[in-house]
Amino acid sequence: MLYGDRSPLSHDMAPELACLDGTFSVLQWSGGRLWFKVVYSLTITSAFAALVGRRTRTMSVLLMTGVLALENRNPPVSDGVPAHGARRTKGASR
């Protein structure tokens, strides 16, 4: 699994990478599967609530927090870095 609570990026490594990137994620508060599912479910629920117009200001804050938490949980996946971690150099051809 590339993304989520069972990703190759362990819970111990995530805060170090977040510190280097200058990002924040509520998923760093706990490394358990239950916490990941709670954050994921709240993000989906807040997206639906914002879509139908229910408490849009509150839901937009919850949605942004959830989306950033999920995106910052595993930055190499959202950055498009290959699984082995090799980055292209400027002169590399495709």
Side-chain angles (χ1 to χ4, degrees), residues 6-93:
R6 294 181 285 173
S7 69
L9 182 67
S10 71
H11 178 67
D12 298 331
M13 291 173 58
E16 293 176 24
L17 189 57
C19 183
L20 290 173
D21 290 344
T23 59
F24 168 77
S25 175
V26 296
L27 289 172
Q28 295 175 5
W29 295 348
S30 175
R33 178 175 283 170
L34 178 63
W35 179 243
F36 180 82
K37 288 183 178 184
V38 166
V39 172
Y40 189 80
S41 298
L42 284 175
T43 303
I44 297 298
T45 303
S46 62
F48 181 72
L51 181 69
V52 298
R54 179 78 176 142
R55 298 188 184 259
T56 54
R57 290 182 186 173
T58 304
M59 292 304 130
S60 64
V61 170
L62 288 175
L63 178 61
M64 181 59 77
T65 304
V67 166
L68 287 176
L70 294 170
E71 185 174 328
N72 291 335
R73 171 59 180 95
N74 199 349
V77 172
S78 61
D79 290 346
V81 177
H84 52 80
R87 294 181 184 251
R88 291 186 191 267
T89 60
K90 288 184 179 179
S93 62

